[in-house]
Amino acid sequence: MSLDEKTASYSVSLQLDGATLGQRTATIELSGPEPSQVVLSPAMRQMGMTGPEALATKVDEGRYEARGEFFSMLGGWEIAVRIDGPSGQEVATFDVEVVP
């Protein structure tokens, strides 16, 4: 699963190794200025729930990975990719449907 979004300074691609419960790996590809930090923040707005934030680590130029249990239940989730860069903080938001 690969999703794409743009912010003012970045083109952001989010790839999940699956939209299911359990340990997941998220790969974030960025084109734009070098960020100082990239953080994933999952939320299930309908239920007022948030998952644990995950700090992404740089694995290659413009490529970051985060691992964790992002989803605590099935249904519609939103993953915010927060990018701290030279122009300040920018957020790309992705909708994910978590299935069994």
Side-chain angles (χ1 to χ4, degrees):
M1 149 186 277
S2 180
L3 305 165
D4 299 303
E5 185 69 43
K6 290 187 185 274
T7 69
S9 304
Y10 297 93
S11 290
V12 185
S13 176
L14 172 67
Q15 298 169 10
L16 293 172
D17 66 347
T20 59
L21 301 177
Q23 187 76 18
R24 302 268 53 94
T25 299
T27 302
I28 303 99
E29 293 186 14
L30 302 175
S31 59
E34 181 74 22
S36 59
Q37 181 172 271
V38 178
V39 177
L40 268 68
S41 182
M44 184 180 237
R45 301 282 180 222
Q46 304 89 326
M47 302 295 284
M49 296 172 49
T50 59
E53 287 192 340
L55 180 63
T57 56
K58 186 175 181 175
V59 293
D60 202 355
E61 190 65 34
R63 188 179 187 107
Y64 298 79
E65 279 188 359
R67 290 187 172 92
E69 292 190 30
F70 305 127
F71 314 115
S72 58
M73 66 185 299
L74 303 178
W77 285 79
E78 178 181 283
I79 296 181
V81 176
R82 190 175 68 237
I83 306 157
D84 295 327
S87 300
Q89 190 175 92
E90 298 184 36
V91 178
T93 304
F94 302 90
D95 293 323
V96 176
E97 188 68 26
V98 178
V99 296

